């Protein structure tokens, strides 16, 4: 009897020791989470894909609930997915996202209502202004009102500008005229009175395009229409991180009395064709081996360069306390990143803080270190 008791105690002690070791291991991998590290500064978000929303990816789920307090659907709320045929909507995945976010304490930035890209097939090449207007009004009213109070914010209009700050000649501009952006915000404000409304674009930290964005935001404000913030996407490269322009842009946009966010952050480590900067999904390049130098692993020197770039960026963002309200990474880990397939398909890129096995990279630790400065 006494021997049995001793055996039980022995195994209990062994089990307790093993648990401690595991906790310590997890603890040393994750000294503190991203959302905790920046809790007094800004929300920390990630773009989530369909698999993650459907919780098919356990490792990703654990990582999301540990590190993030905001999510942006990477694709499933785009018009192509949510509005597949005229008058027909598919809300299945967006509804799942709302449930998933509620359970995990995540604020949803819904992405996106009006974007010239990823339009439903029935709208592509549409030249009839009446049909475009009917689509435009119906889409905003239906989708924005359904999720009012369920999502925290909307990217109401995405990527309306050219690099020189002029308006992109999109299907909306051509059929509805220059005021379509103001109209989109007006409709969104009516349909979603409890939801924050944002303008989102890439390269708007660059002076010319920034000036275009400022003019657009002022136009919305002058019309008496609500705009709550601006999203600088943040698809940059470790070789050209525009820190000076980022700082100037935070100040310039914040001076308009709106929130400033970094909404699609990733830093490519791969070489790209010279004329390519930003995130125009229609700019594609043919694959060649020279464009895919790290397919067997990232050299330490590049890993360090990535970590330093992230540290520099976060150190800068922390200087603007109260002005930057959210920083969202465009993906949870490197394996998920769109940059594996853009501008050339089938490359191996390493742009995020977590690697393909969901482990934190040196960049993760540098970002945490920056938060403690
Ligand atoms: O889901 C289909 C699948 O059924 C099909 O078999 C496969 C064949 O190509 O395509 C799959 O869809 C792809 C989708 O991503 C989901 O993986 C599309 O082809 C592909 O074009 C799409 O790319 C997305 C891209 O936007 C275009 O919508 C990227 O994941 C997404 O990261 C990217 O995100 C954009 C932001 O919305 C706006 N700013 C730039 C940013 C990066 O391009």
């Amino acid at each position: 009897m006494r021997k049995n008791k001793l055996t039980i105690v022995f195994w209990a002690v062994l089990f307790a020791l093993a648990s401690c070791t595991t906790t310590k291991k997890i603890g040393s991998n994750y000294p503190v989470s991203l959302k905790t590290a920046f809790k007094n500064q800004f929300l920390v978000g990630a773009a989530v894909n369909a698999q993650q929303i459907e919780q098919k990816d356990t490792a990703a789920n654990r990582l999301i609930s540990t590190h993030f307090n905001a999510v942006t659907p990477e694709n499933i709320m785009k018009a192509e997915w949510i509005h597949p045929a005229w008058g027909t909507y598919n809300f299945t995945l967006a509804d799942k996202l709302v449930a998933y976010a509620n359970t995990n304490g995540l604020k949803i930035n819904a992405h996106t209502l009006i974007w010239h890209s990823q339009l439903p097939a029935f709208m592509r090449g549409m030249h009839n202004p009446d049909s475009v207007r009917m689509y435009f009004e119906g889409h905003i009213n239906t989708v924005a009102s359904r999720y009012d109070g369920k999502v925290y914010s909307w990217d109401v209009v995405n990527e309306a500008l050219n690099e020189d700050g002029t308006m992109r000649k999109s299907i909306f501009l051509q059929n509805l005229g220059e005021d379509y952006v103001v109209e989109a915000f007006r409709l969104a404000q009516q349909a979603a009175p409890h939801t924050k409304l944002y303008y989102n674009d890439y390269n708007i930290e660059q002076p010319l395009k920034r000036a275009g964005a400022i003019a657009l935001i002022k136009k919305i404000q002058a019309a008496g229409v609500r705009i709550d913030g601006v999203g600088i996407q943040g698809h940059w490269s470790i070789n050209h991180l525009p820190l000076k322009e980022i700082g100037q842009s935070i100040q310039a946009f914040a001076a308009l009395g709106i929130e400033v966010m970094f909404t699609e952050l990733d830093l490519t480590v791969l070489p790209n064709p010279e004329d390519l900067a930003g995130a125009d999904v229609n700019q594609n390049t043919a694959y060649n081996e020279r464009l895919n130098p790290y397919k067997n692993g990232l050299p330490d020197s590049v890993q360090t360069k990535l970590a330093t770039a992230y540290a520099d960026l976060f150190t800068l963002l922390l200087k603007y306390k109260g002005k930057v309200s959210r920083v969202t990474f465009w993906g949870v880990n490197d394996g998920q990143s769109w940059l594996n397939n853009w501008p050339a398909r089938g490359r191996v890129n390493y742009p995020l803080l977590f690697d393909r096995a969901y482990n934190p990279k040196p960049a993760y630790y540098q970002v945490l270190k920056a938060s403690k400065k």
Side-chain angles (χ1 to χ4, degrees):
M1 186 68 179
R2 194 176 136 74
K3 200 176 157 204
N4 274 352
K5 262 194 187 160
L6 276 175
T7 313
I8 292 169
V9 170
F10 171 78
W11 282 112
V13 170
L14 203 66
F15 179 74
L17 280 174
S19 310
C20 275
T21 319
T22 314
T23 314
K24 202 167 160 223
K25 202 166 146 221
I26 292 171
S28 60
N29 270 345
Y30 299 93
V32 59
S33 74
L34 290 171
K35 66 180 177 191
T36 318
F38 296 103
K39 69 175 190 301
N40 297 325
Q41 314 286 341
F42 39 68
L43 294 169
V44 187
V48 287
N49 63 23
Q51 269 222 321
Q52 292 155 353
I53 293 166
E54 296 205 87
Q55 301 181 56
K56 289 186 178 158
D57 188 338
T58 329
N61 276 341
R62 207 183 53 201
L63 215 131
I64 293 165
S65 57
T66 305
H67 289 285
F68 301 104
N69 45 24
V71 281
T72 300
E74 185 177 5
N75 286 305
I76 60 105
M77 289 183 94
K78 289 174 181 170
E80 182 183 40
W81 274 268
I82 211 166
H83 193 168
W86 190 269
T88 303
Y89 294 85
N90 182 350
F91 296 121
T92 313
L93 277 172
D95 288 353
K96 282 188 184 170
L97 171 66
V98 171
Y100 173 66
N102 278 341
T103 319
N104 291 285
L106 300 159
K107 286 195 160 81
I108 299 173
N109 175 57
H111 174 85
T112 170
L113 284 172
I114 296 298
W115 187 27
H116 64 279
S117 204
Q118 308 308 118
L119 279 168
F122 69 88
M123 282 304 293
R124 291 182 209 148
M126 174 75 79
H127 291 301
N128 178 331
D130 291 340
S131 301
V132 175
R133 177 158 299 282
M134 211 183 284
Y135 163 83
F136 181 83
E137 293 180 358
H139 184 79
I140 296 176
N141 285 336
T142 309
V143 183
S145 62
R146 180 182 179 93
Y147 292 104
D148 189 34
K150 295 184 177 154
V151 302
Y152 180 74
S153 53
W154 266 107
D155 289 336
V156 177
V157 176
N158 195 44
E159 302 173 6
L161 294 165
N162 293 317
E163 297 308 288
D164 64 359
T166 57
M167 296 284 291
R168 186 192 286 270
K169 286 207 174 14
S170 69
I171 178 178
F172 301 111
L173 184 86
Q174 285 173 321
N175 288 282
L176 306 178
E178 291 236 335
D179 284 344
Y180 86 86
V181 176
V182 176
E183 286 315 307
F185 276 83
R186 197 193 303 278
L187 289 168
Q189 164 183 303
Q190 283 156 7
H194 309 99
T195 308
K196 300 232 183 209
L197 307 177
Y198 303 144
Y199 176 72
N200 190 54
D201 210 332
Y202 59 84
N203 286 352
I204 49 170
E205 74 284 352
Q206 295 301 326
L208 279 180
K209 201 166 180 180
R210 185 201 310 152
I214 289 173
L216 199 59
I217 292 163
K218 284 187 170 167
K219 189 172 172 182
I220 299 167
Q221 292 174 324
V225 174
R226 176 165 65 87
I227 173 166
D228 300 295
V230 61
I232 301 171
Q233 291 186 4
H235 296 293
W236 294 308
S237 159
I238 56 167
N239 297 317
H240 316 278
L241 186 58
L243 290 171
K244 188 174 99 208
E245 290 81 0
I246 294 169
Q248 290 167 344
S249 301
I250 296 172
Q251 285 175 300
F253 286 129
L256 301 173
I258 56 174
E259 294 172 47
V260 184
M261 287 149 290
F262 293 85
T263 51
E264 303 186 12
L265 179 59
D266 48 28
L267 302 182
T268 184
V269 304
L270 296 182
N272 277 342
E274 297 264 308
D275 56 343
L276 199 139
D280 187 340
V281 283
N282 299 313
Q283 282 181 293
N284 292 308
T285 308
Y287 176 92
N288 70 57
E289 290 291 314
R290 197 182 49 79
L291 293 176
N292 193 20
Y294 311 130
K295 61 182 177 209
N296 298 320
L298 194 62
D300 286 349
S301 59
V302 186
Q303 189 77 267
T304 305
K305 198 165 177 183
L306 176 74
T308 307
Y310 265 115
D312 291 347
L313 177 62
F314 275 79
T315 304
L316 178 78
L317 300 187
L318 290 169
K319 286 193 188 147
Y320 296 96
K321 195 168 175 170
K323 292 188 164 72
V324 177
S325 61
R326 172 165 54 89
V327 178
T328 291
F329 294 88
W330 204 240
V332 174
N333 77 342
D334 285 342
Q336 178 197 341
S337 172
W338 74 294
L339 288 170
N340 295 306
N341 290 308
W342 185 90
R345 295 198 73 82
R347 297 197 298 174
V348 183
N349 211 331
Y350 304 82
L352 298 169
L353 299 188
F354 298 95
D355 69 17
R356 285 168 168 72
Y358 302 95
N359 291 316
K361 294 158 57 177
Y364 166 86
Y365 293 105
Q366 287 300 322
V367 164
L368 286 186
K369 210 166 141 195
S371 77
K372 289 183 187 140
K373 277 186 193 158

